[in-house]
Amino acid sequence: MSITLRPERVRSDGERPSASARPLDAVWVAVFATVVSAAGAARPSLWFDEAATISASTRSVPDLWRMLDNIDAVHGLYYLLMHGWFAVFPATEFWSRLSSSIAVGVAAAGVVTLGGRLSTRSVGVTAGVVFALLPRVTWAGLETRSYALTMVTGVWLTVLCLAALRRDRPRWWTGYALMAAGATVLNVFSVLLLPVHAVMVLAMGASKRTRWHWTLATVVACAASAPFLFFTQTQLFQVGWISPLGARTVGMMLVDQYFDHSLPAAVMAGLLIVAGLVSWRRAGWRPRRLVAISLAWIVLPTVAVLVYSLLGDPVYYPRYLSFTAPAMALVLGACIVALARSSRVAITVLLVIFAVVATPNYLSQRGPYAKEGMDYSQVADVITRHAAPGDCLVMDNSTAWKPGPIRPLTAARPAAFAKLHDYGRGPTGIDRNMLWDAHIAVWTWADKMPGCPALWTVSEHDTHRPAHEQGPALPAGPRLERALAYQIPHRLGFRIVERWQFNFAQVTKSIR
């Protein structure tokens, strides 16, 4: 699609007038962003967090509601939405993640719309493409969690706030209050968008009457979401694994928060921002509103979370601020357009360079063990292809995996293990109103083992054994030799005849 970018006049207030927007701009950027995020979605293994989504979202609504009283209330609305998604699509690697890829597309359309309204059409389109390529975004689009949806609510709530400021009608402010409350229930950190919108109110030069309407809508939104915010404080134990602030936090903010461990992408973004500032100064173009709102969107939520982490419980983790990614895309989009002086060719070249710089990280995100190195899907594939109905499953609960114990592995792809006798499975997650099934020690059901045609044991990877081996009686290896999951079956005459090893796990088949 050909897009003609022409230099625009500078108004007396330092802003350039917005070029006539084309509705298809947001559509094609949304499609582009969805495709970029969805590419390779089936390849990475499911992991702990995604297993939690599948475990919670595939149970009935009453069962989900009871679970949220114990755990994961902060994800409750997302789980409910995914319950509807899984009623239509299977809970596989690709289909579960496609929901997030589509959300990224919807958020990209919002970036195009917001950028065009705050600045120019060229800035909006460029920012939308940058958003699609941003490493934090391509990561979120491949994660069966709420991060991509928080980007949707973040950018479109901001678009709605801008529309309400300009129209100043009760129905717009009512919609804003409802959406703000809903965004907060989807992700508690989204409440930090409200101070950002206060900056927008000031930057847009709203009248006293309009400022009063915004304040009233904000109070209503806060009051509506306050009970939820207070309740979630009772479940802060869930993020007890987050480390206190330290020197590492600086690197997490500068690199991980928007660039997902991609130092080259972070460096290029920094260079673009510096070059953009120089270009603005030379050209006399200072997009004050867009820059002020975007910087507030980046800085205020980050500072608020850091202060809370310093004074209260540590809660800062880069991906929790994913809803601020549209702001970084807007800043970079404006810088690219300023540096390229609105030349279509120059803008395209800079976008291609940014894409090339981000590509190594993009490919890494789509590796088989991209999700914290976990290999839930690979284990499930072995069981699916090689295990027979009526075989038995042995889970070695002494593994040192983090996060979590070994039982979440079966929750990621439960259908793969359904054909096995899992005598070590205790009360189910549904019965316990928890995410995971309970685990029963292997010695308590040893009397049932002689009736098993084969034992499928899942344990920790053993670096002393090969990735795959087969034979009439294979060595257990140092890792399995010290595990009761092997010792007890061995005493009953079971011997290992085949072994598969992945990144975290090893799977063995044993027969008598």
Side-chain angles (χ1 to χ4, degrees), residues 118-239:
L118 288 176
S119 184
T120 65
R121 175 179 174 235
S122 56
V123 168
V125 173
T126 304
V129 175
V130 170
F131 178 80
L133 301 173
L134 204 63
R136 176 54 61 197
V137 175
T138 57
W139 171 88
L142 207 68
E143 184 78 0
T144 312
R145 298 297 271 177
S146 64
Y147 304 112
L149 269 180
T150 66
M151 297 176 185
V152 173
T153 57
V155 69
W156 282 106
L157 179 62
T158 305
V159 171
L160 181 57
C161 181
L162 181 62
L165 286 171
R166 289 175 171 173
R167 290 167 175 79
D168 198 20
R169 295 289 186 271
R171 65 177 180 273
W172 288 96
W173 291 119
T174 300
Y176 174 77
L178 292 174
M179 188 174 179
T184 302
V185 174
L186 178 68
N187 183 289
V188 292
F189 294 111
S190 294
V191 72
L192 299 175
L193 281 169
L194 298 179
V196 176
H197 293 165
V199 173
M200 177 183 282
V201 171
L202 296 175
M204 297 300 295
S207 66
K208 183 176 180 180
R209 178 175 179 271
T210 302
R211 293 197 300 269
W212 165 247
H213 288 164
W214 174 83
T215 302
L216 181 61
T218 300
V219 169
V220 170
C222 290
S225 56
F228 173 77
L229 292 173
F230 284 121
F231 179 73
T232 57
Q233 294 295 302
T234 66
Q235 296 182 358
L236 273 177
F237 63 88
Q238 290 184 247
V239 292

Side-chain angles (χ1 to χ4, degrees), residues 449-450 452-455 486 489-490 492-496 510-512:
M449 287 184 186
C452 297
L455 290 181
Y486 166 77
H490 181 64
L492 294 173
F494 283 91
R495 65 188 188 280
I496 299 174
S510 302
I511 61 173
R512 296 181 78 187

Side-chain angles (χ1 to χ4, degrees), residues 81-103:
L81 295 174
M82 288 304 293
H83 176 82
W85 177 269
F86 288 137
V88 179
F89 302 102
T92 61
E93 288 83 355
F94 176 80
W95 289 106
S96 61
R97 291 166 179 158
L98 182 62
S99 60
S100 293
S101 300
I102 293 173

